Amino acid sequence: VSTHHTAKSAFDAFEKNNYDIIISDLGLPDMNGTDHFKLMTSRRNQLNLPTRIVATSAHFSQKSTNELTKLGVDNIIEKYCL
């Protein structure tokens, strides 16, 4: 288990480690969420890894959900704000 606060840090860790699952928020401070997930799914597919990639956010739109699905994100979890 590892935690990262930026997309760059998360991607660097992904390149150095084999993870069973990656759960990442759509809103990271240093990169657009769609670009972040594009990098992650692309790398996973290049290396033919079994890593499951899950997106989470409190601000999904139908457009972002469709984009993430097309990129190959395995699951989308919406966080609810009370």
Side-chain angles (χ1 to χ4, degrees):
V1 175
S2 62
T3 59
H4 302 276
H5 300 283
T6 66
K8 181 179 180 348
S9 174
F11 188 73
D12 289 347
F14 184 39
E15 288 193 306
K16 296 175 186 169
N17 300 285
N18 290 323
Y19 293 106
D20 293 323
I21 189 168
I22 295 171
I23 302 171
S24 184
D25 197 85
L26 191 62
L28 295 171
D30 63 333
M31 185 180 290
N32 171 291
T34 303
D35 291 341
H36 168 63
F37 285 104
K38 186 176 184 176
L39 279 175
M40 297 296 242
T41 56
S42 176
R43 183 70 173 159
R44 175 192 63 188
N45 295 342
Q46 285 175 348
L47 298 176
N48 198 29
L49 298 172
T51 306
R52 306 280 296 172
I53 298 177
V54 178
T56 183
S57 179
H59 308 288
F60 282 117
S61 66
Q62 188 62 46
K63 180 182 176 187
S64 65
T65 299
N66 290 342
E67 287 176 3
L68 293 171
T69 301
K70 287 178 186 174
L71 290 174
V73 170
D74 296 295
N75 204 338
I76 297 169
I77 299 171
E78 187 170 0
K79 298 185 289 186
Y80 293 96
C81 298
L82 299 176

